[in-house]
Amino acid sequence: MFHPEVMGTGTLHIDLNALVENWQTLDRQSATHTGAVVKADGYGLGAGRVSKALAQAGVRSFFVATAEEATALRATLGPDPVIYVFSGHMEGDTQVLFDLGAVPLLNSPEQIARHEARLPEHPFGLQLDTGMNRLGIEASDWSPEMSQEASLVMSHLACADEPDHAANKAQLKTFLEMTAGILAPRSLAATGGILLGPEYHFDLTRPGVGLYGGLPFEDAQSVVTLDLPVIQTRTVQKGEAVGYAHAFIADSPRQIATVSGGYADGLIRAMSSTAQLYAGDIPCPLVGRVSMDLITVDVTHLDTVPEHLSILGPHQSVDQLADAAGTIGYEILTSLGHRYKRSYS
Ligand SMILES: *Cc1c(COP(=O)(O)O)cnc(C)c1O
């Protein structure tokens, strides 16, 4: 998408209809309620716009990482949707949780004690550790009676993006054992867990990355396009070098476009010399080092150099770009910089 009014910086376009359709598709995979994870500013796409679109589509349960993240979300969503906080009830969170009516997912006996002491009437959920060893109450500290007042009991899968990984069944078994007989609603599945099948769905699912068009949700619609303006094009003669460290040396005369966008915008340095940009359907290799604000692209094979080149879009998903940089789609999304003009439709 070309926006003549913002020549100097890239345009990140977010397709809210595709986002909503991704949520609906994931929702149809289970018979239970489907929430939405909008932590890290809606995986970099703008938690306000993303959550508003999802709330309009019927999402009633939202998840964020920290109480601070819940603040902006409550202002956008109004009083009704439930906002869960994965980090639980930290020292200093009490007032924010109370003011926002946000529900902390308590992770330890210390957090349970803090919550009971500070906000005895305030709703809470519990996060159990079923084998990921990252966040949650350990089996040795747990007894099912702790869940009597809880509005949700959840756990998180470590290997759900690998359907055949033995840890999935092992965590499911542990979750079933720890929660046997409890009355509180249960939640185990994020995007990957939804795709593992109904036994993982319980009462509420918590997709994040799939909403934003990322793997492991292979049928996701593309949500993000990122178009970067070409600032300048030059001919580089055989034997001339381009950019920092002279990392690219032309082996024949090349046309090199210098494009606005660099590692300060989330185009991480590991993309140097490996990623592709697109002129319409035509791939154009990124050559040399990614610098802070600029990248250089070989456009020798184009008849005309367009005013912008695309780095995310129908020809290159967040996961394909991530592959080129040796990372995952989650990191590409959440690194998207603040200099881009974000446009929504
Ligand atoms: C981030 C997160 C999710 C969402 O995971 P995706 O893989 O993005 O769907 C769900 N639950 C917890 C506890 C998380 O930290």
Side-chain angles (χ1 to χ4, degrees), residues 136-213:
I137 300 163
E138 305 258 341
S140 54
D141 289 326
W142 167 250
S143 73
E145 301 83 72
M146 291 162 131
S147 71
Q148 267 167 14
E149 310 284 325
S151 55
L152 188 69
V153 175
M154 61 155 288
S155 186
H156 192 50
L157 298 168
C159 306
D161 58 342
E162 294 177 58
D164 298 328
H165 201 295
N168 295 321
K169 284 212 162 65
Q171 284 195 264
L172 175 62
K173 183 165 175 280
T174 304
F175 189 61
L176 285 166
E177 285 164 5
M178 288 175 82
T179 61
I182 72 167
L183 298 175
R186 292 181 288 181
S187 174
L188 181 61
T191 303
I194 294 173
L195 303 173
L196 291 179
E199 47 186 346
Y200 290 84
H201 294 165
F202 295 92
D203 301 296
L204 175 65
T205 61
R206 313 182 307 270
V209 75
L211 307 176
Y212 309 100

Side-chain angles (χ1 to χ4, degrees), residues 37 39 43 86 127 134 154-156 189-192 206-210 216 330:
V37 179
K39 63 192 180 187
Y43 288 48
F86 287 135
Q127 176 155 208
R134 188 181 68 165
M154 61 155 288
S155 186
H156 192 50
T191 303
R206 313 182 307 270
V209 75
Y330 295 77

Side-chain angles (χ1 to χ4, degrees), residues 88-103:
H89 189 152
M90 297 286 286
E91 189 69 48
D93 283 350
T94 306
Q95 193 64 44
V96 177
L97 292 169
F98 177 78
D99 290 346
L100 301 176
V103 183

Side-chain angles (χ1 to χ4, degrees), residues 13-299:
H13 182 77
I14 294 133
D15 183 343
L16 295 173
N17 291 322
L19 169 93
V20 164
E21 282 176 28
N22 286 338
W23 180 81
Q24 288 165 337
T25 308
L26 288 168
D27 183 43
R28 280 194 297 271
Q29 309 245 344
S30 75
T32 60
H33 290 288
T34 304
V37 179
V38 297
K39 63 192 180 187
D41 196 26
Y43 288 48
L45 302 187
R49 298 296 295 263
V50 158
S51 330
K52 197 167 224 169
L54 291 170
Q56 279 165 0
V59 180
R60 288 289 161 266
S61 302
F62 291 86
F63 293 84
V64 291
T66 65
E68 286 72 20
E69 289 186 323
T71 306
L73 202 57
R74 183 58 84 203
T76 308
L77 292 175
D80 291 337
V82 182
I83 303 176
Y84 293 100
V85 179
F86 287 135
S87 60
H89 189 152
M90 297 286 286
E91 189 69 48
D93 283 350
T94 306
Q95 193 64 44
V96 177
L97 292 169
F98 177 78
D99 290 346
L100 301 176
V103 183
L105 293 160
L106 307 175
N107 288 301
S108 62
E110 292 73 22
Q111 288 203 345
I112 293 174
R114 180 180 298 131
H115 193 75
E116 276 173 2
R118 309 263 178 86
L119 292 176
E121 307 295 322
H122 190 91
F124 66 91
L126 296 166
Q127 176 155 208
L128 308 182
D129 191 284
T130 52
M132 186 169 181
N133 288 308
R134 188 181 68 165
L135 210 52
I137 300 163
E138 305 258 341
S140 54
D141 289 326
W142 167 250
S143 73
E145 301 83 72
M146 291 162 131
S147 71
Q148 267 167 14
E149 310 284 325
S151 55
L152 188 69
V153 175
M154 61 155 288
S155 186
H156 192 50
L157 298 168
C159 306
D161 58 342
E162 294 177 58
D164 298 328
H165 201 295
N168 295 321
K169 284 212 162 65
Q171 284 195 264
L172 175 62
K173 183 165 175 280
T174 304
F175 189 61
L176 285 166
E177 285 164 5
M178 288 175 82
T179 61
I182 72 167
L183 298 175
R186 292 181 288 181
S187 174
L188 181 61
T191 303
I194 294 173
L195 303 173
L196 291 179
E199 47 186 346
Y200 290 84
H201 294 165
F202 295 92
D203 301 296
L204 175 65
T205 61
R206 313 182 307 270
V209 75
L211 307 176
Y212 309 100
L215 289 175
F217 183 27
E218 302 208 1
D219 298 331
Q221 292 192 44
S222 153
V223 173
V224 188
T225 50
L226 177 54
D227 296 327
L228 305 175
V230 175
I231 301 177
Q232 192 181 13
T233 304
R234 62 166 42 71
T235 305
V236 174
Q237 301 301 343
K238 179 176 176 183
E240 285 191 312
V242 175
Y244 282 124
H246 279 188
F248 174 77
I249 296 173
D251 59 4
S252 58
R254 312 306 298 171
Q255 282 288 109
I256 301 295
T258 301
V259 173
S260 178
Y263 60 77
D265 305 295
L267 306 177
I268 57 178
R269 282 178 79 255
M271 292 174 193
S272 298
S273 309
T274 79
Q276 310 254 32
L277 285 81
Y278 282 82
D281 299 339
I282 307 171
C284 306
L286 192 163
V287 294
R289 292 270 172 93
V290 173
S291 55
M292 188 185 293
D293 317 302
L294 298 167
I295 52 182
T296 39
V297 182
D298 189 340
V299 294

